[in-house]
Amino acid sequence: MSYLLFNVSEKLYLRDPQKSAVGQAIIRHSVALIDRDGFDNITFKKLAEAIDSTEATIYRYFENKFRLLQYLIVWHWTSVNFEIDYHVNNIAAPQDKLKICLQVLAGMRKPFNATIIDQQALNRVVIAEFDKFYLSKTIDRDYEEGLLDPFNETCQRIAALVKQINPKYPFPHSLISTAINAARHQVYFSKHLPQLCDIKNDERTLHDRLYKFLEGFVLTTIKAAA
């Protein structure tokens, strides 16, 4: 079976895991383990047992488990950008494009299945662990090295649509980065802190309700500033 492969910065790995069966097993099982147990509770020893290999093998691909998490999150945002490209293709009106982007962020559009990673599990990992990605001591160096570029690209391209809709709106990047974080937080709150959220933890309605929240938040803000 053919799979979609994404370009991920070579600074995140020692050996490209997408190019070997062992490497693919590492990232596939790491997603499953983090999704099940949380990032803080996994070790390369547990991951090695899951793939029936050795810790030394995993260290040939990743320097440490934080680099592995960074890789997974960068892979996620690269796939989000690919998904946005796919869905906005041949769409002309910037407001329609913006709505599609918000639908992608809200999880209304089903992710592509032809990948080596369980996209839904990875999305749950990003919701739970994304803050670790940028609340780190190495954030300035990571930013300079371009490790945040896929996430920045998501913000930049959606913010550009905001500027097209209302060129006078002064805070497009702040608005969109806040909306992206709000999308993650609302899903997390709905499952763990329901008193902080008006979106119920119900798979039948969650994504639709989240989209309506994001659409109202973003489009109302833009129009109010017009």
Side-chain angles (χ1 to χ4, degrees):
M1 179 177 179
S2 297
Y3 292 102
L4 289 171
L5 302 179
F6 298 114
N7 291 323
V8 179
S9 173
E10 61 184 17
K11 295 176 182 177
L12 288 170
Y13 55 79
L14 303 175
R15 180 183 296 181
D16 189 347
Q18 295 185 100
K19 294 184 177 180
S20 72
V22 172
Q24 292 180 12
I26 289 172
I27 58 178
R28 186 168 58 251
H29 284 274
S30 65
V31 169
L33 285 176
I34 298 172
D35 183 35
R36 188 189 70 189
D37 300 334
F39 175 72
D40 294 334
N41 295 317
I42 72 158
T43 63
F44 277 2
K45 180 179 180 180
K46 292 181 179 179
L47 182 54
E49 291 173 354
I51 66 171
D52 193 23
S53 186
T54 64
E55 291 180 71
T57 297
I58 299 173
Y59 277 111
R60 293 191 187 102
Y61 287 86
F62 294 100
E63 181 181 354
N64 52 53
K65 75 171 190 175
F66 182 62
R67 273 292 194 238
L68 172 58
L69 178 66
Q70 287 182 309
Y71 178 93
L72 295 175
I73 290 176
V74 167
W75 195 98
H76 167 79
W77 288 112
T78 304
S79 71
V80 167
N81 289 325
F82 178 86
E83 191 175 349
I84 288 174
D85 277 338
Y86 178 84
H87 290 300
V88 302
N89 188 34
N90 297 324
I91 303 297
Q95 183 160 312
D96 291 339
K97 287 184 177 181
L98 177 58
K99 289 181 178 181
I100 290 173
C101 291
L102 297 178
Q103 289 170 5
V104 171
L105 295 177
M108 284 187 66
R109 307 251 174 179
K110 290 184 178 180
F112 296 96
N113 292 322
T115 64
I116 58 177
I117 297 178
D118 181 338
Q119 293 271 59
Q120 294 182 343
L122 179 57
N123 188 59
R124 292 192 294 268
V125 168
V126 172
I127 288 171
E129 311 290 353
F130 183 55
D131 288 353
K132 292 183 177 68
F133 182 63
Y134 60 85
L135 296 178
S136 69
K137 294 293 185 181
T138 61
I139 183 60
D140 294 325
R141 183 188 68 198
D142 293 343
Y143 181 84
E144 290 297 325
E145 291 183 350
L147 302 188
L148 278 73
D149 283 356
F151 175 59
N152 288 342
E153 182 183 344
T154 305
C155 293
Q156 294 280 346
R157 68 191 308 169
I158 304 176
L161 295 173
V162 172
K163 291 296 288 184
Q164 289 180 46
I165 296 168
N166 181 4
K168 294 184 179 180
Y169 182 69
F171 309 113
H173 299 90
S174 298
L175 176 65
I176 296 307
S177 61
T178 300
I180 291 174
N181 276 313
R184 294 187 306 104
H185 290 155
Q186 289 300 303
V187 174
Y188 188 86
F189 290 166
S190 72
K191 295 181 179 179
H192 304 291
L193 300 168
Q195 290 184 326
L196 302 181
C197 181
D198 298 302
I199 300 170
K200 293 182 179 180
N201 181 25
D202 183 348
E203 283 296 324
R204 295 171 300 174
T205 62
L206 186 148
H207 301 297
D208 182 64
R209 293 274 292 171
L210 179 57
Y211 168 69
K212 289 179 179 177
F213 167 72
L214 294 175
E215 181 188 39
F217 171 57
V218 173
L219 292 179
T220 300
T221 301
I222 298 170
K223 291 177 181 178

